[in-house]
């Protein structure tokens, strides 16, 4: 079945550091890929998405590129801020039936001033 | 558009009691999903509706769980005879399936945190 593996956390960085959170997936066919962010006490918010190979999703300074050859969708940001502290989830969805999301286990990110 | 609303935000119940959660999706969204998120894990799919029809249920959804979406609007998730293992965050999400394809990306509610003591 489909699955997503995320870099284990927690991750702690200083403000303005470079961020990478690794995500790899296993899926049949060509799924759509997503990064969701969850702030404390809140639901999941879509951060960015990519729907086909080589697509780059971007939002709020975050980027991720759909790499079919390495089955990866790593999240990057060039200069993190304290406000980026949250839990980040990589997810995939196929294009069949329920189009349900399959999530990774999440990576908790803490940014120190 | 006020997003996806879930009620209550928190619920503490004694083992063996029944609980019911409500989700109000975005009004023009025809698909509604329930997910469960346990501590330190990503959400897991439970079930989904397209309009009022429940089209898929996960194996995670035991016989003690039932979900409804009357008239294709709000949805309820009921858990009967709760167990400590049911303690989790229950997330509702909605999306729009249009002719020609999926409107990518769900909108999630803030969730209902259930604690069974």
């Amino acid at each position: 079945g489909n699955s997503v593996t995320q870099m284990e956390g927690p991750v702690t960085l200083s403000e303005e550091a470079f961020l990478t959170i690794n995500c790899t997936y296993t899926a049949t066919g060509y799924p759509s890929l997503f990064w969701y962010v969850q702030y404390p006490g809140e639901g999941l918010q879509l951060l960015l998405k990519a729907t086909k190979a080589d697509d780059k999703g971007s939002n709020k300074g975050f980027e991720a590129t759909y790499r079919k050859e390495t089955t990866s969708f790593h999240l990057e940001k060039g200069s993190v801020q304290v406000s980026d502290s949250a839990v980040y989830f990589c997810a995939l969805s196929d294009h069949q039936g329920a189009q349900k999301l399959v999530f990774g286990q999440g990576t908790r990110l803490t940014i120190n001033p | 558009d006020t997003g996806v609303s879930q009620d209550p935000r928190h619920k503490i119940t004694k083992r063996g009691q029944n609980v019911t959660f409500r989700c109000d999706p975005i009004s023009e969204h025809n698909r509604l999903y329930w997910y469960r998120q346990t501590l330190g894990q990503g959400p897991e799919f439970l079930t989904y509706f397209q309009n009022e029809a429940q089209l898929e249920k996960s194996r995670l959804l035991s016989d003690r769980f039932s979900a409804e979406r009357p008239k294709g609007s709000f949805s309820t998730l009921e858990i009967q005879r709760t167990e400590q293992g049911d303690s989790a965050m229950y997330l509702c999400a909605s999306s729009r399936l249009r002719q020609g394809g999926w409107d990518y990306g769900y909108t999630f509610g803030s969730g209902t945190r259930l604690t069974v003591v």
Side-chain angles (χ1 to χ4, degrees), chain A residues 32 34 36 38 41-46 49 51 89 93-106, chain B residues 9 31 33 35 37 40-45 48 50 56 89 91 97 101-102 104-111:
Chain A
S32 293
F34 305 85
Y36 280 84
Q38 188 173 36
E42 298 185 16
L44 293 159
Q45 299 176 24
L46 178 65
K49 65 180 186 287
T51 59
F89 292 94
S93 175
D94 59 29
H95 300 275
Q96 308 299 321
Q99 294 163 334
K100 54 186 175 283
L101 290 168
V102 175
F103 287 88
Q105 75 272 31
Chain B
R9 290 294 304 271
R31 285 194 163 183
Y33 300 79
Y35 285 77
Q37 184 180 16
Q41 299 298 315
E44 296 173 292
F45 170 81
Y48 94 104
Q50 183 163 314
E56 186 173 337
M89 174 79 84
L91 294 166
L97 181 68
W102 183 34
Y104 292 104
Y106 297 5
T107 301
F108 279 88
S110 298

Side-chain angles (χ1 to χ4, degrees), chain A residues 36-107:
Chain A
Y36 280 84
V37 58
Q38 188 173 36
Y39 298 101
E42 298 185 16
L44 293 159
Q45 299 176 24
L46 178 65
L47 181 59
L48 54 84
K49 65 180 186 287
T51 59
K52 60 183 188 296
D54 300 324
D55 266 2
K56 178 186 284 189
S58 61
N59 186 26
K60 300 181 181 180
F62 291 90
E63 293 183 339
T65 301
Y66 189 140
R67 300 286 188 200
K68 179 172 171 290
E69 63 277 10
T70 54
T71 61
S72 65
F73 192 56
H74 304 321
L75 182 68
E76 297 182 336
K77 186 174 185 183
S79 177
V80 293
Q81 306 300 312
V82 172
S83 57
D84 294 327
S85 299
V87 181
Y88 291 81
F89 292 94
C90 185
L92 68 78
S93 175
D94 59 29
H95 300 275
Q96 308 299 321
Q99 294 163 334
K100 54 186 175 283
L101 290 168
V102 175
F103 287 88
Q105 75 272 31
T107 301

Side-chain angles (χ1 to χ4, degrees), chain B residues 79-91:
Chain B
I79 309 174
Q80 296 182 326
R81 304 180 304 283
T82 52
E83 302 172 356
Q84 286 189 319
D86 297 331
S87 295
M89 174 79 84
Y90 290 84
L91 294 166

